[in-house]
Amino acid sequence: MAEPARLRVCALYPDLMNIYADRGNLLMLERRCRWRGIGFELTAAGLGAPVDPGAHDLFYLGGGQDRDQRLCALDLVETKRDALHAAAARGALVLGVCGGYQLLGHRYALGDEEIPGIGLVDLETARSDGPRLIGNVAIEVQLDGGERRVLAGFENHAGRTHLGAGEAPLGRVLRGHGNTGSSGAEGVRRDGVIGTYLHGPLLPKNAWFADWLIRRATGAGELEPLDDRLEDAAHAEARRAAGA
Ligand code: GLN
């Protein structure tokens, strides 16, 4: 008999990398699983904790202030990098938001200082002397050749993220700044590794994307539809705020 579907999530530094209450993304995944009878297991991995690459379907890293990001980056490189590479190689999802997204790349440069990343994707970020890129944002996303959909959220970052030539963005900026403020690209996606600047938090404003992650991470086929009137209203409001 097939095992009942379950989503096993590993939250990396949930206390430190939680700017804009990004842990709301985890709550969203949990509720949408439980409402459908899909099991949900959450493990936190903080500073110094090793992670088991085979024990989780989705690794999640939220946003953080430069100070907390620095602390987590050093630990990430030292105690978790190899496991995250192994997890991504076996098809687990890795989702990074804002500061977490930046750490998926090679480095985050702040003037003379360099915060190391784990190099899961070919990108680098540099803090600019220019204005912070702040505001509501909407991007158009097409996942696996499917329907074009909109992700809406809020961004606030000093870093400008440049993708290597072989990398694809998560989406195309409709409104807002995205990776650099001028490239028209937002986020990154390489197979199961996804990074984005969208807070909001991301998933409560974009229930369709939460469901895409659940389907992909659990291998569940079609998901039972839910009463999404509130979620749809949150999405519509986020799009309206961004002007998209
Ligand atoms: N510290 C990073 C920056 O300012 C990320 C901030 C965030 O996660 N909101 O670019």
Side-chain angles (χ1 to χ4, degrees):
M1 222 171 73
E3 276 193 42
R6 64 183 172 153
L7 178 64
R8 300 167 305 166
V9 175
C10 179
L12 302 162
Y13 317 104
D15 46 346
L16 293 168
M17 298 294 276
N18 179 41
I19 209 168
Y20 296 116
D22 281 327
R23 76 163 68 92
N25 291 324
L26 299 172
L27 207 53
M28 184 76 175
L29 291 171
E30 175 181 5
R31 293 293 159 84
R32 294 185 78 76
C33 283
R34 291 210 194 283
W35 285 334
R36 294 177 167 117
I38 298 173
F40 183 87
E41 290 167 22
L42 180 63
T43 307
L47 294 174
V51 297
D52 177 350
H56 312 284
D57 311 302
L58 191 159
F59 292 82
Y60 173 70
L61 185 55
Q65 315 265 10
D66 289 350
R67 189 189 53 239
D68 296 328
Q69 213 179 333
R70 184 179 291 115
L71 207 62
C72 294
L74 299 175
D75 185 79
L76 203 59
V77 168
E78 227 165 81
T79 67
K80 300 175 180 63
R81 175 173 50 195
D82 295 348
L84 289 170
H85 276 262
R90 71 162 188 86
L93 292 177
V94 180
L95 173 63
V97 172
C98 199
Y101 163 36
Q102 296 170 342
L103 297 184
L104 300 181
H106 301 299
R107 63 193 65 86
Y108 174 28
L110 307 99
D112 292 339
E113 188 194 351
E114 252 187 27
I115 295 180
I118 54 171
L120 260 186
V121 271
D122 179 21
L123 60 84
E124 48 186 55
T125 302
R127 189 166 71 186
S128 148
D129 291 337
R132 292 186 71 84
L133 302 181
I134 304 178
N136 292 299
V137 52
I139 66 174
E140 184 184 70
V141 174
Q142 191 176 23
L143 297 168
D144 306 328
E147 197 189 337
R148 284 177 209 277
R149 313 235 11 199
V150 172
L151 286 176
F154 178 78
E155 61 185 326
N156 181 357
H157 50 109
R160 276 39 170 187
T161 296
H162 300 271
L163 305 186
E167 297 294 358
L170 173 62
R172 177 175 75 83
V173 175
L174 299 172
R175 295 290 164 135
H177 303 290
N179 284 345
T180 66
S182 58
S183 66
E186 203 295 313
V188 70
R189 174 171 178 215
R190 189 200 292 177
D191 200 12
V193 180
I194 296 169
T196 178
Y197 273 115
L198 272 62
H199 296 282
L202 170 70
L203 300 183
K205 287 185 174 177
N206 301 283
W208 73 265
F209 189 56
D211 283 356
W212 183 86
L213 293 170
I214 293 169
R215 270 199 310 276
R216 167 125 190 177
T218 61
E222 280 307 299
L223 296 178
E224 193 185 315
L226 297 171
D227 175 359
D228 274 339
R229 276 172 294 182
L230 277 176
E231 290 79 359
D232 291 345
H235 180 73
E237 178 54 28
R239 284 183 68 155
R240 194 202 55 74

